[in-house]
Amino acid sequence: MPLSYPQPSLPPLRPNPRTPARPPASPATSSACEDTPTLTVFDTAYDHGNGSAVLILPGGAYLGLAANHEGRQVADWFTARGIRAFVLSYRLSSNGYLLPVPLIDARRAVQTIRARARDYKIDPNRIAIIGFSAGGHLAALTATQPVPGKPDAEDPVERVSSRPDYLILGYPWIGAISPDTSHLSYCKLFNVMDKCEALRAAYSPDLYVTRQTPPTFWFHTTNDETVPVEQGLRFYEAAIKAGVPIEAHIFADGPHGVGLGRGSATLDQWPTLLESWLRAQGLLEPAQSATGAR
């Protein structure tokens, strides 16, 4: 379903030099797929949900979306465990939607799920967010830079908070906004090197970790050549310093973009570790209440 906004949302901050210039578009005015963020809802088997929900953000360097192995397959994994899943197709910087537009979409997605908790038969206080690579960067931003609910807002979606209750990161591109081009750099990809320092200060999630950051699960590989593990370690260290409960799993070997493991004898273990973490958080047990929204 398309994400609805009460008014036209922010246009691209700057046209992408790789694509032809076109008038700014918003979900309220455009019918083009690339201009319309959407949520795809995955029901649990036989509608036997446990009241938990997860928002899934596929990666793709803000150039595209790895919608299969970091989207649909992940949704199927969660729904098999009783967790209703939502995959977000957020607007991409490759189509001219530079940050914060993807962040606006992710916040709105969390608010939509929470505001419609009764419809989805979920507990509004049991919403997790998981992101991979660029989706991990976006998930971490969503968790560390939420907007509070406005109880008197005309739009019911805006009455609830965009803060997810739990955060799950798969090889997250935490250091996406960096002038260092020896590794993958958002600034270089989208020709915004002149604005890079300002963007880095505004959209580096490790700089915004506080005690209110949700409990976190993180996994990475030591020899990830696309997103160095040191980037995830920065977020881990910030969480420890802030007193945020965080569980980390760093595997010695494995490429970037493995999704649920892709048949690796070693990396196929990380979803099992995640399942144990979810159980420890109480997210696999039936919720006491799945009505109302905060």
Side-chain angles (χ1 to χ4, degrees), residues 6-84:
Q7 58 188 10
S9 54
L10 292 181
L13 299 186
R14 163 177 181 165
N16 189 304
R18 300 184 180 203
T19 58
R22 61 170 186 263
S26 78
T29 62
S30 174
S31 59
C33 292
E34 64 268 22
D35 296 322
T36 307
T38 61
L39 270 181
T40 302
V41 185
F42 291 79
D43 292 333
T44 55
Y46 307 108
D47 202 28
H48 289 168
N50 54 32
S52 299
V54 63
L55 174 64
I56 301 167
L57 307 182
Y62 291 108
L63 290 165
L65 293 173
N68 185 13
H69 73 283
E70 293 175 358
R72 181 189 61 80
Q73 292 179 21
V74 178
D76 289 344
W77 186 91
F78 277 99
T79 58
R81 287 153 182 82
I83 298 177
R84 190 176 295 271

Side-chain angles (χ1 to χ4, degrees), residues 255-279:
H256 189 75
V258 298
L260 293 174
R262 289 193 165 186
S264 164
T266 300
L267 295 179
D268 278 352
Q269 298 177 52
W270 89 259
T272 302
L273 297 169
L274 173 60
E275 184 170 4
S276 297
W277 182 82
L278 293 169
R279 181 169 287 107

Side-chain angles (χ1 to χ4, degrees), residues 77-277:
W77 186 91
F78 277 99
T79 58
R81 287 153 182 82
I83 298 177
R84 190 176 295 271
F86 302 79
V87 176
L88 175 63
S89 295
Y90 49 90
R91 286 172 288 178
L92 296 168
S93 298
S94 57
N95 293 321
Y97 294 105
L98 299 184
L99 287 163
V101 174
L103 175 57
I104 291 170
D105 292 343
R107 287 170 174 162
R108 183 72 180 183
V110 175
Q111 289 177 299
T112 299
I113 296 167
R114 179 165 286 131
R116 296 185 60 183
R118 187 184 297 272
D119 297 335
Y120 294 130
K121 300 178 183 178
I122 61 169
D123 185 327
N125 302 316
R126 289 174 54 158
I127 299 173
I129 188 169
I130 181 172
F132 298 85
S133 192
H137 174 257
L138 185 55
L141 280 179
T142 307
T144 57
Q145 297 188 28
V147 294
K150 301 176 182 178
D152 58 345
E154 182 177 347
D155 175 20
V157 174
E158 291 185 349
R159 296 172 193 164
V160 298
S161 168
S162 73
R163 177 189 180 275
D165 302 292
Y166 303 90
L167 173 62
I168 305 163
L169 301 173
Y171 40 90
W173 191 21
I174 296 296
I177 316 298
S178 172
D180 180 0
T181 59
S182 62
H183 293 286
L184 191 63
S185 166
Y186 182 96
C187 297
K188 182 178 180 181
L189 278 176
F190 301 112
N191 195 28
V192 289
M193 293 295 290
D194 57 325
K195 301 180 183 296
C196 200
E197 281 304 320
L199 290 169
R200 186 194 66 79
Y203 304 117
S204 293
D206 54 301
L207 301 180
Y208 291 88
V209 175
T210 68
R211 183 170 287 276
Q212 284 68 50
T213 298
T216 301
F217 177 101
W218 164 55
F219 100 92
H220 218 117
T221 57
T222 301
N223 61 354
D224 187 328
E225 295 183 356
T226 303
V227 174
V229 68
E230 290 84 358
Q231 294 189 14
L233 283 170
R234 292 206 298 268
F235 191 90
Y236 177 80
E237 291 169 355
I240 293 296
K241 184 177 181 179
V244 175
I246 183 167
E247 181 169 322
H249 297 278
I250 303 176
F251 296 87
D253 184 58
H256 189 75
V258 298
L260 293 174
R262 289 193 165 186
S264 164
T266 300
L267 295 179
D268 278 352
Q269 298 177 52
W270 89 259
T272 302
L273 297 169
L274 173 60
E275 184 170 4
S276 297
W277 182 82

